Amino acid sequence: FNSPVFLFAFLPLSIWLFWRATEVRSRIQILVVLSLFFYGWWNPAYLPLIVFSIALNYWIGHRVATSRTWMIAGIAFNLGLLAVFKYTDFAIGSFNALTGSSLPMMQLALPLAISFFTFQQIAYLVECRRGQAPERDPLSYALFVLFFPQLVAGPIVQHREVSPQFRVLGVPIRSDLFAQGIFLLVLGLFKKVVIADQLAGLVDPAFASPNDLHFYDAWVAALAYSLQLYFDFSAYSEMAMGIAMMFGIVLPLNFNAPYKAGNIAEFWRRWHITLGRFLRDYLYVPLGGNRNGYARLFVALMITMVLGGLWHGAAWTFVAWGAMHGV
């Protein structure tokens, strides 16, 4: 979002094309094409993968209401896709370390945004199973998954949040909403370029050579990293919200001053809110949540946080990080 080619070429052209069209259908088509181009800019080779994933989930979504088997199959497909690309080398490396084997790594490139569009589509299938009417328009469903402001790193949106907004895309965009979008985009750019990227000058050298650090330097690096991470990620979310507003679409809030939290539980209600919501609704609650006594509660919490940690990255350090938060 902070690259010149995006800010001064892709985004202005996208807004111009979108505003030239006045019909809902035309605007949806334009946004789908723009989003495919945006995704393909990274690596066109992975365009067929995301298109196939969208098509298959759309097809399954029309069958899960009458068959639990189709829902299980859909979830298995999505998790399997994520596992192959994100966790294959992690599993091989762990196996080699435990057994002394030397199985070769697959070294598969991780498709852009696979963690995010996987979770969105799993949530869609579950909601269809719970009674939400499946999306009838394949283009609208494609836009739900592909919408370029939130495609790469969230917020993780639910179908029922954005589908009603897609149906009124032909309505002229309110000037106040567009102005709020510009404000959020500029705010996010400031947080990313002026704060997060400058903190990287402190953080990157320290983490590259941790053995050379003194006590004071290590604390400065650790605290600077916590700020860099927050300003970088929240900046992206705010830029995504701002860009979406320029097209008349309001995305859910993803950060709410998380470092003001009084404890870890409150922190997770403020940090990456849409991920926390997904883990709560589709993992923690189905595992029993807080409805079946403390033992079940603690088990559900630990499983949720460990898997949430593993979702962030394919390494045992992420598993330990998730377990720490669970504890």
Side-chain angles (χ1 to χ4, degrees):
F1 286 165
N2 61 315
S3 65
V5 69
F6 179 86
L7 287 173
F8 302 115
F10 181 81
L11 183 58
L13 179 63
S14 300
I15 294 171
W16 179 75
L17 289 171
F18 181 83
W19 281 40
R20 275 182 61 87
T22 55
E23 300 295 326
V24 173
R25 188 72 176 171
S26 299
R27 288 186 164 183
I28 289 176
Q29 290 170 345
I30 287 168
L31 287 177
V32 168
V33 171
L34 289 169
S35 298
L36 285 169
F37 179 84
F38 177 85
Y39 189 83
W41 183 270
W42 169 72
N43 188 343
Y46 284 104
L47 272 174
L49 180 70
I50 193 171
V51 170
F52 175 72
S53 174
I54 290 169
L56 186 61
N57 278 281
Y58 173 79
W59 185 78
I60 292 175
H62 287 265
R63 286 154 180 79
V64 297
T66 56
S67 172
R68 187 168 179 267
T69 302
W70 276 116
M71 186 188 73
I72 294 171
I75 293 174
F77 164 76
N78 286 293
L79 292 179
L81 196 66
L82 185 63
V84 166
F85 284 98
K86 192 169 184 176
Y87 300 108
T88 299
D89 281 349
F90 170 63
I92 293 173
S94 299
F95 179 80
N96 287 343
L98 284 172
T99 63
S101 304
S102 56
L103 295 177
M105 297 292 185
M106 298 292 291
Q107 296 183 336
L108 297 171
L110 187 65
L112 190 67
I114 189 171
S115 296
F116 288 89
F117 71 70
T118 296
F119 272 22
Q120 281 194 196
Q121 295 192 102
I122 288 174
Y124 170 76
L125 294 179
V126 172
E127 291 305 310
C128 287
R129 176 64 185 169
R130 291 175 178 175
Q132 175 186 307
E135 177 60 64
R136 294 295 174 188
D137 179 21
L139 270 180
S140 293
Y141 180 76
L143 183 58
F144 155 66
V145 179
L146 285 168
F147 187 45
F148 73 86
Q150 53 81 216
L151 171 62
V152 176
I156 300 171
V157 299
Q158 295 182 344
H159 182 258
R160 64 175 179 266
E161 291 175 322
V162 292
S163 60
Q165 300 185 65
F166 294 162
R167 290 194 285 268
V168 295
L169 276 182
V171 176
I173 298 171
R174 302 194 326 260
S175 58
D176 62 324
L177 189 65
F178 192 84
Q180 289 175 43
I182 294 174
F183 171 77
L184 282 174
L185 175 59
V186 173
L187 176 66
L189 281 169
F190 180 86
K191 290 169 71 173
K192 164 66 177 167
V193 176
V194 178
I195 302 178
D197 288 354
Q198 300 307 310
L199 285 169
L202 282 174
V203 172
D204 292 346
F207 277 80
S209 305
N211 293 330
D212 299 334
L213 299 179
H214 298 293
F215 178 85
Y216 171 79
D217 299 322
W219 270 105
V220 168
L223 294 173
Y225 175 68
S226 68
L227 293 173
Q228 180 202 7
L229 181 65
Y230 166 70
F231 282 113
D232 193 278
F233 195 5
S234 66
Y236 188 96
S237 294
E238 282 156 13
M239 286 189 281
M241 292 170 65
I243 294 165
M245 284 179 176
M246 296 180 186
F247 297 98
I249 296 172
V250 179
L251 299 178
L253 185 70
N254 213 24
F255 287 87
N256 181 21
Y259 289 156
K260 292 182 180 179
N263 53 61
I264 290 295
E266 185 186 355
F267 172 83
W268 277 104
R269 290 191 289 270
R270 292 169 171 263
W271 176 280
H272 204 348
I273 296 168
T274 57
L275 172 64
R277 177 180 64 178
F278 178 92
L279 294 174
R280 179 195 68 204
D281 294 347
Y282 303 106
L283 191 57
Y284 172 71
V285 171
L287 285 171
N290 59 0
R291 298 167 298 178
N292 299 286
Y294 279 114
R296 187 72 173 270
L297 163 68
F298 294 149
V299 170
L301 268 174
M302 288 303 299
I303 292 174
T304 299
M305 295 312 298
V306 167
L307 292 178
L310 190 60
W311 178 84
H312 280 81
W316 286 108
T317 47
F318 282 106
V319 173
W321 175 80
M324 181 183 70
H325 278 262
V327 170

